[in-house]
Amino acid sequence: MLTGCALPRHYPEVTFHANGKTIRVEPAVYCDIEGNNCAERTKPAQLKVPAGKVVQISVDGQLADGLWEAVFLYKKANGEQTTTGTGLLGKGENFTYTLALPDKGDQLQGIEVHEAAAAVLDTGQPLLRGYWAVEVTN
């Protein structure tokens, strides 16, 4: 359960759909708009995604109006682990994303959706406001 006195009572949710199952996920970590006063949830959601299957990701309006990205970890058929992502999405234009791995033999292992805060790091990258985590089983 998320707690924190400075945070809203309603946390944005992200919907993941794969292999005929849909789950709605609350953030694993969620902070105020400046990236402070963070609340955490310890257990990631789980979703079964067999190799070669796609995952539909849908964010609520609050995330879609800002900046968000999906980052995913997968194992290639040769056993090599790879992490990649979508790049920044949102600005009121992107409510959904279809995650399809490059090859049918690739096995998805995990997904995180990141929301950017109003603050920017010294590197110029947006500060992470929150993230939604899904552990993938096959």
Side-chain angles (χ1 to χ4, degrees):
M1 195 73 176
L2 292 171
T3 60
C5 58
L7 296 175
R9 292 191 184 268
H10 170 71
Y11 297 100
E13 293 182 328
V14 176
T15 302
F16 298 86
H17 178 82
N19 201 37
K21 178 154 171 96
T22 300
I23 59 172
R24 292 186 57 80
V25 178
E26 289 186 338
V29 172
Y30 199 72
C31 307
D32 66 21
I33 192 68
E34 298 300 321
N36 301 311
N37 301 314
C38 301
E40 295 184 38
R41 186 172 59 98
T42 57
K43 187 176 180 185
Q46 291 190 331
L47 183 63
K48 183 176 182 174
V49 184
K53 297 292 184 182
V54 301
V55 178
Q56 299 287 333
I57 301 170
S58 178
V59 301
D60 75 6
Q62 179 178 326
L63 270 69
D65 286 342
L67 293 174
W68 67 279
E69 69 177 336
V71 177
F72 39 99
L73 171 69
Y74 67 97
K75 187 182 286 187
K76 293 182 178 182
N78 67 6
E80 177 187 345
Q81 285 194 327
T82 302
T83 301
T84 191
T86 61
L88 291 175
L89 303 170
K91 297 182 182 178
E93 299 173 7
N94 306 104
F95 289 82
T96 62
Y97 179 79
T98 301
L99 190 165
L101 297 177
D103 295 312
K104 292 238 182 243
D106 295 342
Q107 178 61 58
L108 188 63
Q109 295 181 309
I111 308 166
E112 287 186 2
V113 170
H114 297 171
E115 178 185 10
V120 176
L121 299 171
D122 292 339
T123 61
Q125 295 293 324
L127 179 68
L128 185 65
R129 178 179 188 183
Y131 74 90
W132 294 253
V134 174
E135 183 179 280
V136 174
T137 62
N138 51 11

PDB file of all heavy atoms in Angstrom, residues 45-79:
ATOM      1  N   ALA A  45       3.893  -5.945  -9.886  1.00  0.00           N
ATOM      2  CA  ALA A  45       2.811  -6.729 -10.478  1.00  0.00           C
ATOM      3  C   ALA A  45       3.428  -7.834 -11.331  1.00  0.00           C
ATOM      4  O   ALA A  45       4.585  -7.740 -11.738  1.00  0.00           O
ATOM      5  CB  ALA A  45       1.931  -5.831 -11.322  1.00  0.00           C
ATOM      6  N   GLN A  46       2.652  -8.863 -11.629  1.00  0.00           N
ATOM      7  CA  GLN A  46       3.134  -9.952 -12.475  1.00  0.00           C
ATOM      8  C   GLN A  46       2.186 -10.163 -13.646  1.00  0.00           C
ATOM      9  O   GLN A  46       0.969 -10.022 -13.499  1.00  0.00           O
ATOM     10  CB  GLN A  46       3.260 -11.244 -11.686  1.00  0.00           C
ATOM     11  CG  GLN A  46       4.354 -11.209 -10.665  1.00  0.00           C
ATOM     12  CD  GLN A  46       4.607 -12.584 -10.065  1.00  0.00           C
ATOM     13  OE1 GLN A  46       3.714 -13.421  -9.976  1.00  0.00           O
ATOM     14  NE2 GLN A  46       5.847 -12.821  -9.656  1.00  0.00           N
ATOM     15  N   LEU A  47       2.769 -10.491 -14.801  1.00  0.00           N
ATOM     16  CA  LEU A  47       1.993 -10.747 -15.998  1.00  0.00           C
ATOM     17  C   LEU A  47       2.681 -11.847 -16.788  1.00  0.00           C
ATOM     18  O   LEU A  47       3.896 -11.815 -16.997  1.00  0.00           O
ATOM     19  CB  LEU A  47       1.894  -9.469 -16.846  1.00  0.00           C
ATOM     20  CG  LEU A  47       1.062  -9.541 -18.108  1.00  0.00           C
ATOM     21  CD1 LEU A  47      -0.409  -9.821 -17.789  1.00  0.00           C
ATOM     22  CD2 LEU A  47       1.187  -8.233 -18.891  1.00  0.00           C
ATOM     23  N   LYS A  48       1.897 -12.818 -17.238  1.00  0.00           N
ATOM     24  CA  LYS A  48       2.436 -13.910 -18.049  1.00  0.00           C
ATOM     25  C   LYS A  48       2.500 -13.445 -19.505  1.00  0.00           C
ATOM     26  O   LYS A  48       1.489 -13.039 -20.081  1.00  0.00           O
ATOM     27  CB  LYS A  48       1.553 -15.149 -17.928  1.00  0.00           C
ATOM     28  CG  LYS A  48       2.089 -16.338 -18.674  1.00  0.00           C
ATOM     29  CD  LYS A  48       1.238 -17.570 -18.439  1.00  0.00           C
ATOM     30  CE  LYS A  48       1.852 -18.745 -19.170  1.00  0.00           C
ATOM     31  NZ  LYS A  48       1.160 -19.991 -18.881  1.00  0.00           N
ATOM     32  N   VAL A  49       3.712 -13.526 -20.083  1.00  0.00           N
ATOM     33  CA  VAL A  49       3.911 -13.142 -21.482  1.00  0.00           C
ATOM     34  C   VAL A  49       4.813 -14.183 -22.137  1.00  0.00           C
ATOM     35  O   VAL A  49       6.032 -14.148 -21.970  1.00  0.00           O
ATOM     36  CB  VAL A  49       4.555 -11.735 -21.610  1.00  0.00           C
ATOM     37  CG1 VAL A  49       4.659 -11.338 -23.080  1.00  0.00           C
ATOM     38  CG2 VAL A  49       3.788 -10.695 -20.813  1.00  0.00           C
ATOM     39  N   PRO A  50       4.247 -15.124 -22.882  1.00  0.00           N
ATOM     40  CA  PRO A  50       5.076 -16.105 -23.583  1.00  0.00           C
ATOM     41  C   PRO A  50       5.959 -15.432 -24.641  1.00  0.00           C
ATOM     42  O   PRO A  50       5.644 -14.345 -25.139  1.00  0.00           O
ATOM     43  CB  PRO A  50       4.052 -17.021 -24.257  1.00  0.00           C
ATOM     44  CG  PRO A  50       2.782 -16.813 -23.490  1.00  0.00           C
ATOM     45  CD  PRO A  50       2.820 -15.376 -23.050  1.00  0.00           C
ATOM     46  N   ALA A  51       7.060 -16.070 -24.987  1.00  0.00           N
ATOM     47  CA  ALA A  51       7.965 -15.555 -26.023  1.00  0.00           C
ATOM     48  C   ALA A  51       7.186 -15.276 -27.299  1.00  0.00           C
ATOM     49  O   ALA A  51       6.283 -16.023 -27.672  1.00  0.00           O
ATOM     50  CB  ALA A  51       9.082 -16.558 -26.280  1.00  0.00           C
ATOM     51  N   GLY A  52       7.512 -14.184 -27.938  1.00  0.00           N
ATOM     52  CA  GLY A  52       6.891 -13.825 -29.209  1.00  0.00           C
ATOM     53  C   GLY A  52       5.575 -13.070 -29.098  1.00  0.00           C
ATOM     54  O   GLY A  52       5.028 -12.642 -30.107  1.00  0.00           O
ATOM     55  N   LYS A  53       5.044 -12.898 -27.901  1.00  0.00           N
ATOM     56  CA  LYS A  53       3.770 -12.197 -27.717  1.00  0.00           C
ATOM     57  C   LYS A  53       4.007 -10.719 -27.460  1.00  0.00           C
ATOM     58  O   LYS A  53       5.020 -10.324 -26.883  1.00  0.00           O
ATOM     59  CB  LYS A  53       2.977 -12.782 -26.541  1.00  0.00           C
ATOM     60  CG  LYS A  53       2.582 -14.224 -26.742  1.00  0.00           C
ATOM     61  CD  LYS A  53       1.568 -14.353 -27.852  1.00  0.00           C
ATOM     62  CE  LYS A  53       1.109 -15.792 -27.986  1.00  0.00           C
ATOM     63  NZ  LYS A  53       0.172 -15.975 -29.074  1.00  0.00           N
ATOM     64  N   VAL A  54       3.069  -9.877 -27.854  1.00  0.00           N
ATOM     65  CA  VAL A  54       3.166  -8.440 -27.630  1.00  0.00           C
ATOM     66  C   VAL A  54       2.467  -8.063 -26.329  1.00  0.00           C
ATOM     67  O   VAL A  54       1.646  -8.815 -25.811  1.00  0.00           O
ATOM     68  CB  VAL A  54       2.558  -7.621 -28.803  1.00  0.00           C
ATOM     69  CG1 VAL A  54       3.261  -7.946 -30.101  1.00  0.00           C
ATOM     70  CG2 VAL A  54       1.071  -7.839 -28.910  1.00  0.00           C
ATOM     71  N   VAL A  55       2.808  -6.892 -25.818  1.00  0.00           N
ATOM     72  CA  VAL A  55       2.166  -6.332 -24.636  1.00  0.00           C
ATOM     73  C   VAL A  55       1.621  -4.962 -25.013  1.00  0.00           C
ATOM     74  O   VAL A  55       2.345  -4.136 -25.561  1.00  0.00           O
ATOM     75  CB  VAL A  55       3.149  -6.181 -23.457  1.00  0.00           C
ATOM     76  CG1 VAL A  55       2.467  -5.555 -22.249  1.00  0.00           C
ATOM     77  CG2 VAL A  55       3.767  -7.521 -23.083  1.00  0.00           C
ATOM     78  N   GLN A  56       0.346  -4.752 -24.761  1.00  0.00           N
ATOM     79  CA  GLN A  56      -0.271  -3.441 -24.956  1.00  0.00           C
ATOM     80  C   GLN A  56      -0.148  -2.674 -23.641  1.00  0.00           C
ATOM     81  O   GLN A  56      -0.520  -3.186 -22.593  1.00  0.00           O
ATOM     82  CB  GLN A  56      -1.757  -3.583 -25.310  1.00  0.00           C
ATOM     83  CG  GLN A  56      -2.026  -4.330 -26.579  1.00  0.00           C
ATOM     84  CD  GLN A  56      -1.671  -3.511 -27.804  1.00  0.00           C
ATOM     85  OE1 GLN A  56      -1.700  -2.290 -27.794  1.00  0.00           O
ATOM     86  NE2 GLN A  56      -1.311  -4.197 -28.872  1.00  0.00           N
ATOM     87  N   ILE A  57       0.379  -1.459 -23.705  1.00  0.00           N
ATOM     88  CA  ILE A  57       0.528  -0.608 -22.530  1.00  0.00           C
ATOM     89  C   ILE A  57      -0.355   0.609 -22.733  1.00  0.00           C
ATOM     90  O   ILE A  57      -0.304   1.254 -23.783  1.00  0.00           O
ATOM     91  CB  ILE A  57       1.991  -0.161 -22.340  1.00  0.00           C
ATOM     92  CG1 ILE A  57       2.898  -1.383 -22.194  1.00  0.00           C
ATOM     93  CG2 ILE A  57       2.117   0.785 -21.145  1.00  0.00           C
ATOM     94  CD1 ILE A  57       4.379  -1.048 -22.233  1.00  0.00           C
ATOM     95  N   SER A  58      -1.165   0.924 -21.735  1.00  0.00           N
ATOM     96  CA  SER A  58      -2.062   2.072 -21.811  1.00  0.00           C
ATOM     97  C   SER A  58      -1.910   2.890 -20.530  1.00  0.00           C
ATOM     98  O   SER A  58      -2.034   2.345 -19.431  1.00  0.00           O
ATOM     99  CB  SER A  58      -3.508   1.589 -21.964  1.00  0.00           C
ATOM    100  OG  SER A  58      -4.391   2.676 -21.989  1.00  0.00           O
ATOM    101  N   VAL A  59      -1.634   4.180 -20.678  1.00  0.00           N
ATOM    102  CA  VAL A  59      -1.463   5.055 -19.516  1.00  0.00           C
ATOM    103  C   VAL A  59      -2.684   5.946 -19.369  1.00  0.00           C
ATOM    104  O   VAL A  59      -3.392   6.219 -20.340  1.00  0.00           O
ATOM    105  CB  VAL A  59      -0.181   5.907 -19.624  1.00  0.00           C
ATOM    106  CG1 VAL A  59       1.048   5.014 -19.747  1.00  0.00           C
ATOM    107  CG2 VAL A  59      -0.240   6.881 -20.788  1.00  0.00           C
ATOM    108  N   ASP A  60      -2.928   6.416 -18.138  1.00  0.00           N
ATOM    109  CA  ASP A  60      -4.069   7.303 -17.939  1.00  0.00           C
ATOM    110  C   ASP A  60      -3.710   8.717 -18.414  1.00  0.00           C
ATOM    111  O   ASP A  60      -2.572   9.010 -18.776  1.00  0.00           O
ATOM    112  CB  ASP A  60      -4.586   7.252 -16.500  1.00  0.00           C
ATOM    113  CG  ASP A  60      -3.736   7.981 -15.490  1.00  0.00           C
ATOM    114  OD1 ASP A  60      -2.764   8.653 -15.871  1.00  0.00           O
ATOM    115  OD2 ASP A  60      -4.055   7.884 -14.298  1.00  0.00           O
ATOM    116  N   GLY A  61      -4.694   9.594 -18.438  1.00  0.00           N
ATOM    117  CA  GLY A  61      -4.536  10.934 -18.990  1.00  0.00           C
ATOM    118  C   GLY A  61      -3.445  11.751 -18.338  1.00  0.00           C
ATOM    119  O   GLY A  61      -2.754  12.525 -19.004  1.00  0.00           O
ATOM    120  N   GLN A  62      -3.269  11.613 -17.025  1.00  0.00           N
ATOM    121  CA  GLN A  62      -2.245  12.383 -16.324  1.00  0.00           C
ATOM    122  C   GLN A  62      -0.857  12.070 -16.879  1.00  0.00           C
ATOM    123  O   GLN A  62      -0.056  12.959 -17.104  1.00  0.00           O
ATOM    124  CB  GLN A  62      -2.291  12.095 -14.828  1.00  0.00           C
ATOM    125  CG  GLN A  62      -1.234  12.852 -14.040  1.00  0.00           C
ATOM    126  CD  GLN A  62      -1.321  12.583 -12.560  1.00  0.00           C
ATOM    127  OE1 GLN A  62      -2.384  12.383 -12.015  1.00  0.00           O
ATOM    128  NE2 GLN A  62      -0.176  12.575 -11.904  1.00  0.00           N
ATOM    129  N   LEU A  63      -0.568  10.792 -17.107  1.00  0.00           N
ATOM    130  CA  LEU A  63       0.727  10.417 -17.666  1.00  0.00           C
ATOM    131  C   LEU A  63       0.832  10.845 -19.121  1.00  0.00           C
ATOM    132  O   LEU A  63       1.861  11.360 -19.551  1.00  0.00           O
ATOM    133  CB  LEU A  63       0.948   8.906 -17.561  1.00  0.00           C
ATOM    134  CG  LEU A  63       1.619   8.407 -16.296  1.00  0.00           C
ATOM    135  CD1 LEU A  63       0.729   8.558 -15.104  1.00  0.00           C
ATOM    136  CD2 LEU A  63       2.050   6.993 -16.463  1.00  0.00           C
ATOM    137  N   ALA A  64      -0.218  10.632 -19.884  1.00  0.00           N
ATOM    138  CA  ALA A  64      -0.193  10.959 -21.313  1.00  0.00           C
ATOM    139  C   ALA A  64      -0.027  12.457 -21.552  1.00  0.00           C
ATOM    140  O   ALA A  64       0.572  12.855 -22.549  1.00  0.00           O
ATOM    141  CB  ALA A  64      -1.467  10.463 -21.985  1.00  0.00           C
ATOM    142  N   ASP A  65      -0.529  13.286 -20.639  1.00  0.00           N
ATOM    143  CA  ASP A  65      -0.374  14.733 -20.789  1.00  0.00           C
ATOM    144  C   ASP A  65       1.047  15.187 -20.498  1.00  0.00           C
ATOM    145  O   ASP A  65       1.477  16.232 -20.973  1.00  0.00           O
ATOM    146  CB  ASP A  65      -1.346  15.478 -19.864  1.00  0.00           C
ATOM    147  CG  ASP A  65      -2.776  15.416 -20.364  1.00  0.00           C
ATOM    148  OD1 ASP A  65      -2.978  15.110 -21.566  1.00  0.00           O
ATOM    149  OD2 ASP A  65      -3.690  15.661 -19.564  1.00  0.00           O
ATOM    150  N   GLY A  66       1.785  14.424 -19.715  1.00  0.00           N
ATOM    151  CA  GLY A  66       3.178  14.749 -19.397  1.00  0.00           C
ATOM    152  C   GLY A  66       4.114  13.967 -20.292  1.00  0.00           C
ATOM    153  O   GLY A  66       3.821  13.714 -21.460  1.00  0.00           O
ATOM    154  N   LEU A  67       5.252  13.576 -19.726  1.00  0.00           N
ATOM    155  CA  LEU A  67       6.228  12.775 -20.455  1.00  0.00           C
ATOM    156  C   LEU A  67       6.372  11.423 -19.775  1.00  0.00           C
ATOM    157  O   LEU A  67       6.506  11.346 -18.553  1.00  0.00           O
ATOM    158  CB  LEU A  67       7.592  13.471 -20.482  1.00  0.00           C
ATOM    159  CG  LEU A  67       7.666  14.765 -21.271  1.00  0.00           C
ATOM    160  CD1 LEU A  67       9.034  15.410 -21.090  1.00  0.00           C
ATOM    161  CD2 LEU A  67       7.389  14.514 -22.743  1.00  0.00           C
ATOM    162  N   TRP A  68       6.353  10.354 -20.571  1.00  0.00           N
ATOM    163  CA  TRP A  68       6.516   9.002 -20.049  1.00  0.00           C
ATOM    164  C   TRP A  68       7.273   8.167 -21.060  1.00  0.00           C
ATOM    165  O   TRP A  68       7.391   8.538 -22.231  1.00  0.00           O
ATOM    166  CB  TRP A  68       5.172   8.378 -19.690  1.00  0.00           C
ATOM    167  CG  TRP A  68       4.252   8.094 -20.848  1.00  0.00           C
ATOM    168  CD1 TRP A  68       3.442   8.981 -21.492  1.00  0.00           C
ATOM    169  CD2 TRP A  68       4.043   6.838 -21.491  1.00  0.00           C
ATOM    170  NE1 TRP A  68       2.750   8.353 -22.495  1.00  0.00           N
ATOM    171  CE2 TRP A  68       3.094   7.033 -22.509  1.00  0.00           C
ATOM    172  CE3 TRP A  68       4.570   5.562 -21.300  1.00  0.00           C
ATOM    173  CZ2 TRP A  68       2.661   6.009 -23.348  1.00  0.00           C
ATOM    174  CZ3 TRP A  68       4.134   4.535 -22.135  1.00  0.00           C
ATOM    175  CH2 TRP A  68       3.189   4.770 -23.140  1.00  0.00           C
ATOM    176  N   GLU A  69       7.800   7.058 -20.573  1.00  0.00           N
ATOM    177  CA  GLU A  69       8.475   6.102 -21.452  1.00  0.00           C
ATOM    178  C   GLU A  69       8.315   4.705 -20.879  1.00  0.00           C
ATOM    179  O   GLU A  69       8.085   4.547 -19.683  1.00  0.00           O
ATOM    180  CB  GLU A  69       9.962   6.432 -21.601  1.00  0.00           C
ATOM    181  CG  GLU A  69      10.775   6.211 -20.340  1.00  0.00           C
ATOM    182  CD  GLU A  69      12.267   6.484 -20.524  1.00  0.00           C
ATOM    183  OE1 GLU A  69      12.758   6.413 -21.662  1.00  0.00           O
ATOM    184  OE2 GLU A  69      12.932   6.751 -19.524  1.00  0.00           O
ATOM    185  N   ALA A  70       8.421   3.717 -21.744  1.00  0.00           N
ATOM    186  CA  ALA A  70       8.434   2.322 -21.316  1.00  0.00           C
ATOM    187  C   ALA A  70       9.857   1.793 -21.496  1.00  0.00           C
ATOM    188  O   ALA A  70      10.484   2.023 -22.533  1.00  0.00           O
ATOM    189  CB  ALA A  70       7.450   1.484 -22.130  1.00  0.00           C
ATOM    190  N   VAL A  71      10.357   1.126 -20.475  1.00  0.00           N
ATOM    191  CA  VAL A  71      11.688   0.513 -20.514  1.00  0.00           C
ATOM    192  C   VAL A  71      11.475  -0.974 -20.272  1.00  0.00           C
ATOM    193  O   VAL A  71      10.698  -1.357 -19.396  1.00  0.00           O
ATOM    194  CB  VAL A  71      12.601   1.105 -19.422  1.00  0.00           C
ATOM    195  CG1 VAL A  71      13.951   0.423 -19.405  1.00  0.00           C
ATOM    196  CG2 VAL A  71      12.756   2.611 -19.623  1.00  0.00           C
ATOM    197  N   PHE A  72      12.133  -1.812 -21.044  1.00  0.00           N
ATOM    198  CA  PHE A  72      11.901  -3.240 -20.882  1.00  0.00           C
ATOM    199  C   PHE A  72      13.189  -4.037 -20.979  1.00  0.00           C
ATOM    200  O   PHE A  72      14.130  -3.674 -21.670  1.00  0.00           O
ATOM    201  CB  PHE A  72      10.852  -3.765 -21.866  1.00  0.00           C
ATOM    202  CG  PHE A  72      10.906  -3.189 -23.243  1.00  0.00           C
ATOM    203  CD1 PHE A  72      11.525  -3.879 -24.262  1.00  0.00           C
ATOM    204  CD2 PHE A  72      10.322  -1.965 -23.529  1.00  0.00           C
ATOM    205  CE1 PHE A  72      11.575  -3.355 -25.548  1.00  0.00           C
ATOM    206  CE2 PHE A  72      10.364  -1.431 -24.805  1.00  0.00           C
ATOM    207  CZ  PHE A  72      10.994  -2.134 -25.815  1.00  0.00           C
ATOM    208  N   LEU A  73      13.211  -5.110 -20.218  1.00  0.00           N
ATOM    209  CA  LEU A  73      14.321  -6.040 -20.158  1.00  0.00           C
ATOM    210  C   LEU A  73      13.863  -7.333 -20.826  1.00  0.00           C
ATOM    211  O   LEU A  73      12.765  -7.816 -20.553  1.00  0.00           O
ATOM    212  CB  LEU A  73      14.695  -6.316 -18.698  1.00  0.00           C
ATOM    213  CG  LEU A  73      15.708  -7.434 -18.437  1.00  0.00           C
ATOM    214  CD1 LEU A  73      17.097  -7.031 -18.938  1.00  0.00           C
ATOM    215  CD2 LEU A  73      15.759  -7.745 -16.944  1.00  0.00           C
ATOM    216  N   TYR A  74      14.705  -7.866 -21.697  1.00  0.00           N
ATOM    217  CA  TYR A  74      14.362  -9.143 -22.324  1.00  0.00           C
ATOM    218  C   TYR A  74      15.610  -9.961 -22.585  1.00  0.00           C
ATOM    219  O   TYR A  74      16.730  -9.444 -22.577  1.00  0.00           O
ATOM    220  CB  TYR A  74      13.562  -8.941 -23.612  1.00  0.00           C
ATOM    221  CG  TYR A  74      14.292  -8.284 -24.759  1.00  0.00           C
ATOM    222  CD1 TYR A  74      14.866  -9.045 -25.775  1.00  0.00           C
ATOM    223  CD2 TYR A  74      14.379  -6.897 -24.852  1.00  0.00           C
ATOM    224  CE1 TYR A  74      15.512  -8.447 -26.845  1.00  0.00           C
ATOM    225  CE2 TYR A  74      15.016  -6.285 -25.918  1.00  0.00           C
ATOM    226  CZ  TYR A  74      15.586  -7.066 -26.909  1.00  0.00           C
ATOM    227  OH  TYR A  74      16.226  -6.476 -27.960  1.00  0.00           O
ATOM    228  N   LYS A  75      15.397 -11.263 -22.755  1.00  0.00           N
ATOM    229  CA  LYS A  75      16.483 -12.187 -23.054  1.00  0.00           C
ATOM    230  C   LYS A  75      16.347 -12.625 -24.503  1.00  0.00           C
ATOM    231  O   LYS A  75      15.288 -13.115 -24.915  1.00  0.00           O
ATOM    232  CB  LYS A  75      16.427 -13.401 -22.131  1.00  0.00           C
ATOM    233  CG  LYS A  75      17.634 -14.318 -22.274  1.00  0.00           C
ATOM    234  CD  LYS A  75      17.535 -15.535 -21.382  1.00  0.00           C
ATOM    235  CE  LYS A  75      17.785 -15.123 -19.947  1.00  0.00           C
ATOM    236  NZ  LYS A  75      17.860 -16.295 -19.042  1.00  0.00           N
ATOM    237  N   LYS A  76      17.422 -12.438 -25.252  1.00  0.00           N
ATOM    238  CA  LYS A  76      17.439 -12.876 -26.644  1.00  0.00           C
ATOM    239  C   LYS A  76      17.514 -14.404 -26.696  1.00  0.00           C
ATOM    240  O   LYS A  76      17.865 -15.051 -25.718  1.00  0.00           O
ATOM    241  CB  LYS A  76      18.642 -12.280 -27.371  1.00  0.00           C
ATOM    242  CG  LYS A  76      18.574 -10.780 -27.521  1.00  0.00           C
ATOM    243  CD  LYS A  76      19.777 -10.278 -28.299  1.00  0.00           C
ATOM    244  CE  LYS A  76      19.699  -8.780 -28.498  1.00  0.00           C
ATOM    245  NZ  LYS A  76      20.833  -8.292 -29.303  1.00  0.00           N
ATOM    246  N   ALA A  77      17.207 -14.971 -27.842  1.00  0.00           N
ATOM    247  CA  ALA A  77      17.233 -16.421 -28.015  1.00  0.00           C
ATOM    248  C   ALA A  77      18.614 -16.992 -27.693  1.00  0.00           C
ATOM    249  O   ALA A  77      18.729 -18.126 -27.226  1.00  0.00           O
ATOM    250  CB  ALA A  77      16.811 -16.798 -29.432  1.00  0.00           C
ATOM    251  N   ASN A  78      19.681 -16.203 -27.895  1.00  0.00           N
ATOM    252  CA  ASN A  78      21.040 -16.672 -27.612  1.00  0.00           C
ATOM    253  C   ASN A  78      21.408 -16.526 -26.131  1.00  0.00           C
ATOM    254  O   ASN A  78      22.529 -16.808 -25.738  1.00  0.00           O
ATOM    255  CB  ASN A  78      22.061 -15.946 -28.486  1.00  0.00           C
ATOM    256  CG  ASN A  78      22.178 -14.464 -28.161  1.00  0.00           C
ATOM    257  OD1 ASN A  78      21.585 -13.956 -27.197  1.00  0.00           O
ATOM    258  ND2 ASN A  78      22.947 -13.752 -28.968  1.00  0.00           N
ATOM    259  N   GLY A  79      20.476 -16.055 -25.285  1.00  0.00           N
ATOM    260  CA  GLY A  79      20.708 -15.934 -23.851  1.00  0.00           C
ATOM    261  C   GLY A  79      21.164 -14.560 -23.397  1.00  0.00           C
ATOM    262  O   GLY A  79      21.231 -14.298 -22.196  1.00  0.00           O
TER     263      GLY A  79
END
